[in-house]
Amino acid sequence: MSFTIDHVNKSFAGLEVIKDLFMQVEENQIICILGPSGAGKTTLLNIISGVIPADRGKISGFADKNISYLFQEHRLLPWKTVEDNIDFVLKDKISLKERKRIIAHYLDMVDLTAFSAYYPSQLSGGMKQRVALARAFAYPSEILLMDEPFKGLDYHLKRTLREAFIKLWQADKRSVFFVTHDIEEALLMGQEIYVLTDRPATVKGKVPNPIPYYERTRNNSALQRIENEIHQLLSSRV
Amino acid sequence: METSSIKTILVTAASILVMVITWHLLALMLGHEYILPTPAETARQMIILVSSAGFWPVVLATIGRGLLGFIISLGLGVILGLVAGFSKAAYWLLQPWVTVVRSTPVMSVIILAIIWFESNLVPVVVTLLILFPIIYGNVVAGIMNINKELLEMARMYKVKTWRIVTELYLPSILPFLLAGASTAMGIAWKVIIAAEILSQPQLGIGTNLMIAKIDFATAQVFAWTVVAIVISFVFEYLIRLIETRLNTWS
C-alpha cells in the first residue's frame, strides 16, 4: 500500500499555492513536510484530507481511508471532560464498551488517566495537546495529518509531546503526514523529510532519515549529516 | 474565598443599611408621609399587605403573566433564533420584523395592546413583544459566535450532524441564551407592571399600584414597589442559580 500525490496544482484567486507537487510514500511511515511558513503546507493537507480539491493532478491511496487530525490548537470542547472529548469523535462508530477500553488505553499512553474527568480549562496547555494526541490515536484511522501541532510551545513541552507522539506511533502505527517549518522537529520525527520550496510549493528534495528514534540525539553525527543535507536543499535553487 | 465572601456580604449589608438610613432621614426632612413615607411606615404597610387575603392572588397573577410572557418569548426566541442563525435567508427575512418590534417604544406597545386585547392579556402580549427580540438576538449571536475551529474538527472527525447540533452548537449557544434570559427577566417585571398600570386587569401589582396612587396612599405604593423588587430579585437569583448549575466546566 502506498500513497501518491501526483503532480498536484492548486491556486486561490489566481495565486499559485502548490505547483506540480509530487510525492510517493509507503504506508505507516512518518512523513515530514518541511517548508517555510505560508508556503501552502496546510493547503496540501487539506487536499490530502479531501476538504478541498486539487486544480490539476490527482492523489491516490487516500480514498475511503479514515483520517485523524492534530491541529495547531488543541480544539477540545470546553464543556466536555477529557474522556468525553475523545468519546465525542468515537460515538456512532464504536460500541460503548469498546470506546471505554480505547479511551482508557490512550489516556494511559499519554499519562492522563488521572485527569479523565477534568475539563480542558483545568489542564495546562501541554496536557490539552496530549488529550488531542490521544483523541487522534483513539480515532480509528489509517492516516494521521498533523499541522504544526507543537508550534508556539516551549522547548520542554515540545520535547514531551514529541516523545508522547513517538511512543503512541510505535505502539500503533499510522501513516503520518506531519507539516512543519522547524528543521529540528523534522529531523527528530521524520522517517522521510520532504523539503518544499517557498510558494508555490513544490518538492525540492527528499531526505530519508533511517536513524532509530532512540538514537536521535543532538550529537549524533549521522543526524548532523542529514541536517546538513536539509540545509543544503533549503538554500539551493530549484 | 471564605473571607472574601463574608466581606462581600458585610459590604452589601452596610450598603443596604446606608440606603435605609438615607431614606429614613429624607422622609423625616420632608415630613410628609404623602410624599415620602418612612421605611418603618412602608414596612408596616407591607405587613398589612402580605397578611391581607387579597395579597397572594394579586402577586400570583402578576408572576403568572410575567412567566407566561417570558416562556413564550423564550420558546419563540430560541426557535426563530436557531432558524435565523442557520439560514442567512431567514435571518434577513426576520430582520425588519425584529427591528420594528425592538424599536417600538414600550408605551406604544402597551397602548396598542390595550386597544387590541382584553386587559388580562395585555401585560402578557407586551412582555412577549419586549422580551422576544432580546432572546432572539442572543440566540443568533450565539450561533454566529460558534468556534469555527471546533466545528471543523467535528466535521473532519466525521461526527454526525445531529450530534454537532446537540453537543457543539447548543452548549455554545447556552451562555448567550442564559445571558439573554437574565436580561429579559430583569426587564420583564418592569414591563409587566407598567402594562398592568395602564390596562388595569382585575388582579395585578400594577393595578394595585394605580389604586394606591389614586387613594394618595404613598406608603402602599412603596409597599407594592418593594414587592415588585423582591419578585425581580428572586427570579434573577433563580436564573443565576441555573446558570452556575449548567456551567460546571469553566
Side-chain angles (χ1 to χ4, degrees):
Chain A
M1 211 23 252
S2 69
F3 302 99
T4 313
I5 295 159
D6 194 1
H7 300 285
V8 160
N9 288 264
K10 184 76 198 173
S11 301
F12 289 109
L15 179 73
E16 234 181 353
V17 178
I18 294 173
K19 189 182 179 182
D20 212 25
L21 191 139
F22 181 83
M23 288 169 66
Q24 187 167 35
V25 302
E26 291 306 309
E27 67 173 343
N28 294 342
Q29 300 257 74
I30 301 179
I31 308 299
C32 272
I33 299 164
L34 179 68
S37 296
K41 301 189 299 290
T42 300
T43 306
L44 178 62
L45 288 190
N46 283 334
I47 291 173
I48 290 176
S49 65
V51 170
I52 54 170
D55 292 342
R56 266 182 296 130
K58 64 171 199 270
I59 60 170
S60 58
F62 299 101
D64 59 72
K65 292 277 192 302
N66 286 310
I67 304 178
S68 288
Y69 301 84
L70 208 57
F71 308 92
Q72 239 174 67
E73 317 78 24
H74 53 80
R75 302 203 188 183
L76 300 176
L77 305 184
W79 47 83
K80 282 187 184 288
T81 61
V82 165
E83 57 182 336
D84 286 346
N85 257 288
I86 301 175
D87 204 32
F88 180 62
V89 301
L90 303 181
K91 277 180 194 163
D92 306 315
K93 295 161 188 120
I94 301 167
S95 72
L96 177 67
K97 208 179 140 205
E98 187 63 6
R99 287 198 320 259
K100 284 209 157 132
R101 189 193 64 76
I102 291 172
I103 293 167
H105 171 70
Y106 286 103
L107 281 182
D108 179 45
M109 292 287 281
V110 295
D111 293 322
L112 285 175
T113 304
F115 296 91
S116 64
Y118 279 55
Y119 288 97
S121 62
Q122 297 167 305
L123 304 179
S124 70
M127 288 159 99
K128 282 185 253 198
Q129 203 53 298
R130 258 146 65 202
V131 178
L133 203 55
R135 177 177 65 190
F137 275 92
Y139 188 71
S141 62
E142 295 88 38
I143 298 168
L144 173 56
L145 301 183
M146 300 169 77
D147 191 359
E148 306 210 36
F150 309 141
K151 193 179 178 179
L153 298 175
D154 70 55
Y155 177 80
H156 288 284
L157 214 52
K158 267 187 190 174
R159 192 172 141 177
T160 320
L161 285 166
R162 263 198 322 260
E163 284 167 0
F165 168 75
I166 298 294
K167 180 179 153 196
L168 278 165
W169 179 82
Q170 283 179 325
D172 179 8
K173 293 206 165 87
R174 318 266 168 118
S175 303
V176 178
F177 292 85
F178 185 104
V179 148
T180 182
H181 70 282
D182 182 337
I183 297 175
E184 192 190 1
E185 207 163 81
L187 267 173
L188 293 173
M189 295 187 60
Q191 294 174 305
E192 243 174 32
I193 300 155
Y194 278 82
V195 179
L196 300 191
T197 60
D198 211 339
R199 200 177 54 219
T202 192
V203 176
K204 249 184 178 179
K206 180 173 95 173
V207 183
N209 183 357
I211 302 168
Y213 286 109
Y214 58 87
E215 284 178 17
R216 294 191 184 188
T217 52
R218 269 188 182 284
N219 43 24
N220 182 321
S221 57
L223 200 65
Q224 278 164 5
R225 275 198 295 280
I226 293 170
E227 185 174 356
N228 288 338
E229 208 178 323
I230 292 172
H231 275 296
Q232 273 167 17
L233 262 174
L234 278 170
S235 53
S236 72
R237 288 167 184 278
V238 191
Chain B
M1 275 275 282
E2 280 280 298
T3 49
S4 88
S5 74
I6 290 170
K7 230 182 217 170
T8 316
I9 290 167
L10 281 177
V11 171
T12 310
S15 172
I16 292 171
L17 192 68
V18 169
M19 196 194 293
V20 173
I21 291 170
T22 313
W23 175 8
H24 183 73
L25 291 177
L26 273 173
L28 287 185
M29 267 163 62
L30 288 164
H32 284 288
E33 194 155 286
Y34 165 65
I35 297 173
L36 185 61
T38 57
E41 177 57 20
T42 306
R44 206 177 65 83
Q45 279 298 333
M46 280 223 41
I47 293 165
I48 295 172
L49 208 65
V50 175
S51 54
S52 72
F55 175 74
W56 286 108
V58 169
V59 169
L60 290 178
T62 297
I63 291 178
R65 287 191 195 100
L67 284 183
L68 190 62
F70 176 77
I71 287 164
I72 299 173
S73 19
L74 192 68
L76 218 59
V78 168
I79 292 167
L80 292 178
L82 285 174
V83 170
F86 285 116
S87 150
K88 273 268 170 287
Y91 176 79
W92 290 115
L93 201 74
L94 284 166
Q95 198 52 29
W97 296 74
V98 175
T99 306
V100 167
V101 172
R102 203 199 304 265
S103 316
T104 311
V106 179
M107 281 303 153
S108 305
V109 176
I110 295 176
I111 288 168
L112 287 172
I114 290 172
I115 297 172
W116 293 333
F117 301 99
E118 63 107 0
S119 65
N120 261 314
L121 216 57
V122 172
V124 179
V125 175
V126 173
T127 318
L128 170 62
L129 287 175
I130 304 299
L131 303 194
F132 162 74
I134 300 171
I135 308 266
Y136 168 86
N138 274 45
V139 171
V140 172
I143 296 176
M144 304 266 180
N145 265 287
I146 186 123
N147 185 325
K148 300 281 184 312
E149 290 176 344
L150 289 181
L151 205 57
E152 188 187 52
M153 180 279 294
R155 294 231 172 89
M156 286 176 145
Y157 275 115
K158 294 182 182 150
V159 176
K160 287 217 159 79
T161 306
W162 69 268
R163 239 181 233 295
I164 294 181
V165 170
T166 54
E167 295 180 37
L168 213 168
Y169 271 102
L170 286 187
S172 316
I173 298 165
L174 205 61
F176 286 83
L177 179 62
L178 285 170
S182 156
T183 313
M185 258 299 174
I187 296 172
W189 308 110
K190 293 177 186 159
V191 170
I192 206 117
I193 287 166
E196 283 176 349
I197 284 173
L198 290 181
S199 73
Q200 293 286 303
Q202 218 177 7
L203 295 173
I205 294 176
T207 311
N208 282 277
L209 266 172
M210 194 63 180
I211 293 169
K213 190 240 167 215
I214 293 166
D215 290 347
F216 297 104
T218 310
Q220 270 186 41
V221 172
F222 267 75
W224 279 114
T225 305
V226 172
V227 170
I229 292 171
V230 169
I231 292 174
S232 181
F233 176 82
V234 166
F235 280 94
E236 202 185 310
Y237 180 77
L238 283 178
I239 287 209
R240 285 233 188 101
L241 212 65
I242 295 171
E243 238 171 329
T244 45
R245 265 290 159 76
L246 289 175
N247 185 351
T248 50
W249 45 269
S250 68

